[in-house]
Amino acid sequence: MANEETILQMHDLKPAPGEKKDRIRVGRGEGSKGKTSGRGDKGTKKRYQVRPGFEGGQLPLYMRLPKLRGFKSPFKVTYQVVNIATLAELFPQGGEITVADLVAKGAVRANQPVKVLGEGETTVAFTLKGVKASKSAVAKIDAAGGSISED
């Protein structure tokens, strides 16, 4: 019977030495668990919480930065620009061009107003619909036999 094996049972199990520790009840007085209760030593943040962004009396970042200045109109219209040179490159045969055609070719984004500017030259006639144009662009397109309508 001296050689008999012992079988490990549930009531024999216990945690490894040093595994179980009492949690530190922070701020519950000196007698609870060590003098400073896990807060370290001295300083404002050890005594009470300070608000986020507090820099210990130094002028805070939000006060060092300049205030918002000026005015932004909610009604400002920002046009997407297309030059005549780009039109001549994308549509070498000329013809009627709408905003949808420009979007399909990737020249502009959808649902935003478009303005044609006069940089570049063209010899083919463009009939532009639904776009605005600068004076120089209108002059060059008219000289090439084309036209522009804003509707």
Side-chain angles (χ1 to χ4, degrees):
M1 283 257 212
N3 236 359
E4 191 177 318
E5 291 183 30
T6 57
I7 298 172
L8 188 67
Q9 296 189 0
M10 289 294 286
H11 63 267
D12 294 327
L13 295 176
K14 61 181 181 181
E19 182 67 27
K20 292 286 188 182
K21 280 177 76 175
D22 291 339
R23 72 182 179 88
I24 296 173
R25 299 182 67 231
V26 175
R28 294 294 188 272
E30 282 188 26
S32 67
K33 184 80 171 145
K35 181 175 131 303
T36 51
S37 298
R39 286 176 179 248
D41 280 317
K42 297 183 181 178
T44 306
K45 291 177 185 169
K46 312 306 182 256
R47 293 179 169 88
Y48 59 88
Q49 280 298 313
V50 295
R51 61 177 168 70
F54 182 69
E55 297 184 33
Q58 174 176 306
L59 193 67
L61 180 68
Y62 74 89
M63 291 178 75
R64 294 196 300 261
L65 296 175
K67 274 186 164 184
L68 179 67
R69 302 277 183 208
F71 167 76
K72 288 203 178 192
S73 173
F75 307 108
K76 180 181 179 182
V77 178
T78 306
Y79 289 94
Q80 297 186 85
V81 295
V82 178
N83 285 305
I84 288 179
T86 309
L87 290 177
E89 195 178 295
L90 294 174
F91 303 95
Q93 76 286 353
E96 186 175 301
I97 302 170
T98 63
V99 176
D101 297 332
L102 291 170
V103 170
K105 294 268 188 175
V108 294
R109 293 188 201 95
N111 305 321
Q112 291 183 6
V114 178
K115 187 166 186 175
V116 179
L117 302 182
E119 190 176 303
E121 297 297 326
T122 183
T123 53
V124 293
F126 296 118
T127 306
L128 295 164
K129 293 191 184 270
V131 298
K132 280 188 168 277
S134 66
K135 287 181 183 176
S136 62
V138 170
K140 288 180 182 181
I141 290 172
D142 285 345
S147 64
I148 296 177
S149 64
E150 292 184 24
D151 55 335

